[in-house]
Amino acid sequence: MNVIKRCLFGISMVSLALLNFQCKKNTSTNQTTDKVSIEKSAYGTLPNGQQVDSYTLKNQKGMEVAIITYGGIITSLKVPNKEGKSEEVVLGFSSLEQYTKPNPYFGALIGRYGNRIAKGKFSLDGKEYSLAINNEPNALHGGPEGFHRVVWTAVENKGGDTSASLKLKYLSKDMEEGYPGNLTVLVTYTLHDDNSLDVSYEATTDKKTIVNLTQHSYFNLSADFTKTILDHEITIDADKLVPVDATLIPTGELTDVANTPFDFRNPKLVGKDIEAKDEQIKRGLGYDHCWVLNNQGKGQRLAASAYEPKSGRLLEVFTDQPGIQFYTGNFLDGTLPMRDKGVYAHRTGFCLETQHYPDSPNQKTFPSTVVSPGENYKTKTTFKFSVK
């Protein structure tokens, strides 16, 4: 009888082992069928004790993006080159401490108003509002304590096996940085399995205000941050430019790009005309201007692209916004540290910031940026990566 019991016990143990093996096998299979995943980790703590988290969205085609709740900052974005090697393509730092120090908005969400507002003043319904200004005569990117320096509330969402989203929420209180109205802001980052990243913006207010949100990542598609971006080929679907005065505030005109250094309607190297003897180039110290995008009012469309021949990486930017600010890292001066070693030198990154035109609240002929109670500010930009 003891022999029989031992045999039965042995058979049971073997069956249990086989069952466990099959369960593990099934679990592993379920994990690998997900094309896009999202992982949360602690990133650091601010001096006031606030916890900052990092969320990494990954797909199986070699693209991954890391976003922190401080400033909604994209701290890392890796995409494959033409040989299939996935590498870092955005400028960034290695620690939370570096992001809290003064820096040129690496990877950050910008608000309430992206770009400049002349002398930090605008009027709504006859009432003048004074904004916090930056280290220049004008308000810039929402002020010194704008959306790039707040901690957002995060909610992650797994959208089946083809996408994953991170939704960030922030309540900007009435008169924060001088802007009227309690503004509730939602920004959703969504990574898809086709190597595209959506950035969707929504906002509502309880008082008439102005809103112009954007994303401020600096790209270098070569993945070698010791190199400039002058050999990137840029295309911008825009027939007109928003020219600026000596303080980089729009003059109010919209000028043709034809026969100027600002004509990127066909692919052109960044470095081709960046040192041209042109008054606008001189004022921006290179390219730091807003282009008037074509096909306005027709929803999301291809607005701009960037191609780096050696890596083969192609970035396409789709948006429903009226303008795009193309900035060539003219103020990068070798004082900011790279993630590992070295520093970010002059023109080692570029930005393509989809937005309304600068100083729109003071320019009656520009598209309006006013949002009233009961209205829903809503816009979407997509950064799509591929190789050619």
Side-chain angles (χ1 to χ4, degrees):
M1 180 64 70
N2 289 337
V3 173
I4 294 173
K5 285 182 177 180
R6 284 197 297 269
C7 288
L8 291 173
F9 178 75
I11 293 170
S12 299
M13 292 302 292
V14 170
S15 299
L16 183 60
L18 288 172
L19 180 61
N20 285 338
F21 173 77
Q22 188 63 42
C23 288
K24 288 181 180 178
K25 184 178 179 182
N26 290 340
T27 301
S28 174
T29 301
N30 289 337
Q31 287 174 342
T32 56
T33 56
D34 286 350
K35 295 180 181 179
V36 188
S37 64
I38 182 168
E39 299 175 0
K40 176 184 177 181
S41 61
Y43 192 77
T45 305
L46 295 172
N48 64 5
Q50 278 186 290
Q51 172 75 31
V52 175
D53 294 320
S54 178
Y55 292 82
T56 302
L57 287 65
K58 299 180 181 179
N59 67 21
Q60 289 189 341
K61 299 206 178 149
M63 182 170 172
E64 66 177 73
V65 56
I67 302 150
I68 59 175
T69 51
Y70 179 77
I73 294 170
I74 293 178
T75 58
S76 174
L77 200 162
K78 297 176 181 177
V79 293
N81 63 9
K82 61 187 177 183
E83 296 173 351
K85 183 179 181 182
S86 190
E87 297 174 300
E88 187 66 72
V89 296
V90 294
L91 280 63
F93 300 122
S94 60
S95 69
L96 176 60
E97 181 185 8
Q98 285 293 338
Y99 284 108
T100 62
K101 295 178 180 179
N103 73 81
Y105 309 94
F106 279 175
L109 293 177
I110 303 298
R112 289 190 191 188
Y113 197 94
N115 222 315
R116 293 171 171 85
I117 295 179
K119 300 178 181 178
K121 295 182 184 297
F122 71 96
S123 295
L124 279 176
D125 295 336
K127 181 177 179 179
E128 185 176 85
Y129 293 91
S130 295
L131 308 174
I133 63 172
N134 303 64
N135 295 324
E136 57 175 281
N138 310 302
L140 175 65
H141 291 334
E145 301 299 320
F147 290 178
H148 60 290
R149 289 181 62 84
V150 302
V151 176
W152 296 65
T153 301
V155 177
E156 56 186 281
N157 178 44
K158 188 70 180 60
D161 64 356
T162 61
S163 68
S165 296
L166 176 68
K167 181 170 288 189
L168 299 176
K169 183 177 181 179
Y170 178 66
L171 172 62
S172 176
K173 295 184 178 179
D174 184 32
M175 299 312 296
E176 181 176 293
E177 294 293 279
Y179 293 91
N182 291 297
L183 188 77
T184 300
V185 185
L186 294 173
V187 178
T188 305
Y189 289 103
T190 303
L191 177 64
H192 298 277
D193 62 357
D194 65 352
N195 282 1
S196 65
L197 177 69
D198 294 338
V199 188
S200 301
Y201 309 84
E202 295 180 72
T204 56
T205 183
D206 62 0
K207 187 186 296 185
K208 187 178 286 189
T209 190
I210 58 171
V211 183
N212 185 30
L213 307 180
T214 192
Q215 218 292 332
H216 209 299
S217 284
Y218 286 66
F219 299 97
N220 187 324
L221 301 181
S222 74
D224 183 349
F225 300 108
T226 66
K227 294 182 178 179
T228 71
I229 44 82
L230 298 180
D231 62 349
H232 286 56
E233 293 180 2
I234 300 292
T235 308
I236 302 175
D237 186 18
D239 297 331
K240 293 183 180 294
L241 181 78
V242 183
V244 295
D245 63 20
T247 67
L248 301 182
I249 291 295
T251 63
E253 304 172 275
L254 301 178
T255 58
D256 290 336
V257 299
N259 302 314
T260 76
F262 296 88
D263 191 350
F264 284 92
R265 290 175 295 181
N266 294 307
K268 183 173 71 173
L269 292 176
V270 175
K272 184 177 186 298
D273 295 323
I274 201 169
E275 301 293 347
K277 293 182 179 179
D278 178 273
E279 188 63 29
Q280 287 297 310
I281 289 286
K282 181 180 177 181
R283 288 175 179 176
L285 301 179
Y287 296 112
D288 189 6
H289 297 75
C290 186
W291 273 252
V292 179
L293 293 173
N294 295 332
N295 300 310
Q296 294 187 15
K298 295 186 177 180
Q300 198 177 33
R301 71 281 189 206
L302 179 62
S305 66
Y307 172 63
E308 200 280 314
K310 187 174 181 180
S311 69
R313 290 187 179 93
L314 173 67
L315 165 62
E316 296 173 295
V317 182
F318 298 82
T319 189
D320 53 16
Q321 290 286 71
I324 192 166
Q325 185 86 5
F326 176 44
Y327 171 57
T328 47
N330 310 318
F331 296 102
L332 296 176
D333 59 3
T335 60
L336 298 173
M338 293 186 192
R339 292 180 181 84
D340 298 320
K341 60 181 180 179
V343 293
Y344 292 113
H346 191 224
R347 293 175 178 158
T348 50
F350 69 89
C351 304
L352 288 168
E353 308 158 54
T354 57
Q355 57 187 247
H356 274 254
Y357 312 153
D359 199 37
S360 288
N362 296 312
Q363 305 279 351
K364 293 182 180 180
T365 61
F366 288 2
S368 175
T369 57
V370 174
V371 178
S372 299
E375 294 180 352
N376 187 20
Y377 172 95
K378 195 170 185 178
T379 180
K380 177 181 174 182
T381 291
T382 299
F383 300 96
K384 188 177 190 326
F385 293 88
S386 59
V387 295
K388 68 174 186 176

